[in-house]
Amino acid sequence: QVQLMESGGGLVQPGGSLRLSCAASGTIGNIDFMGWYRQAPGKERELVATSSPGGWTNYADSVKGRFTISRGNAKNTVYLQMNDLKHEDTAVYYCKADYLWKEYWGQGTQVTVSS
């Protein structure tokens, strides 16, 4: 069983920055893909960014050039640096991990972009 703990959400003004963190526990090995998804009110959950242990990354077009995903040295952590935040980035952000052919999700952290 894998537990994911997210942190770093909050309220920020347009153009501001936030850094989300997600740490996995309960594993005995390295996690495969880790990534971030988000869900805004009334919308479906969508991919924000994902990262492989080897450093391959993939981003939603809406965040390219503004967000950066990275893995920690322990490989069981993942970060999302969010710069130049916009109103439309407001959502609950979820961490997701793939481990031994199963998907695991965090509880989510709220990001609100508002002036």
Side-chain angles (χ1 to χ4, degrees):
Q1 192 74 3
V2 174
Q3 294 83 42
L4 300 176
M5 181 63 71
E6 302 131 330
S7 61
L11 173 65
V12 64
Q13 293 185 344
S17 298
L18 282 175
R19 179 177 166 91
L20 304 182
S21 300
C22 174
S25 61
T27 64
I28 59 173
N30 288 333
I31 291 179
D32 194 1
F33 281 82
M34 295 187 78
W36 292 93
Y37 289 69
R38 67 186 181 187
Q39 187 167 18
K43 295 186 177 182
E44 294 186 353
R45 191 172 297 188
E46 63 177 2
L47 170 71
V48 177
T50 189
S51 170
S52 75
W56 176 87
T57 57
N58 184 44
Y59 295 91
D61 287 341
S62 59
V63 307
K64 283 181 181 177
R66 300 188 298 121
F67 291 11
T68 303
I69 189 171
S70 60
R71 300 286 287 267
N73 290 333
K75 303 301 182 186
N76 285 354
T77 55
V78 65
Y79 306 97
L80 186 68
Q81 178 66 43
M82 305 186 292
N83 298 328
D84 190 24
L85 283 159
K86 306 177 185 299
H87 289 291
E88 52 265 39
D89 295 318
T90 295
V92 177
Y93 284 70
Y94 296 90
C95 176
K96 174 180 172 287
D98 297 336
Y99 180 66
L100 295 180
W101 305 283
K102 292 184 180 180
E103 294 181 352
Y104 297 89
W105 293 86
Q107 293 297 310
T109 183
Q110 177 70 45
V111 171
T112 302
V113 184
S114 175
S115 53

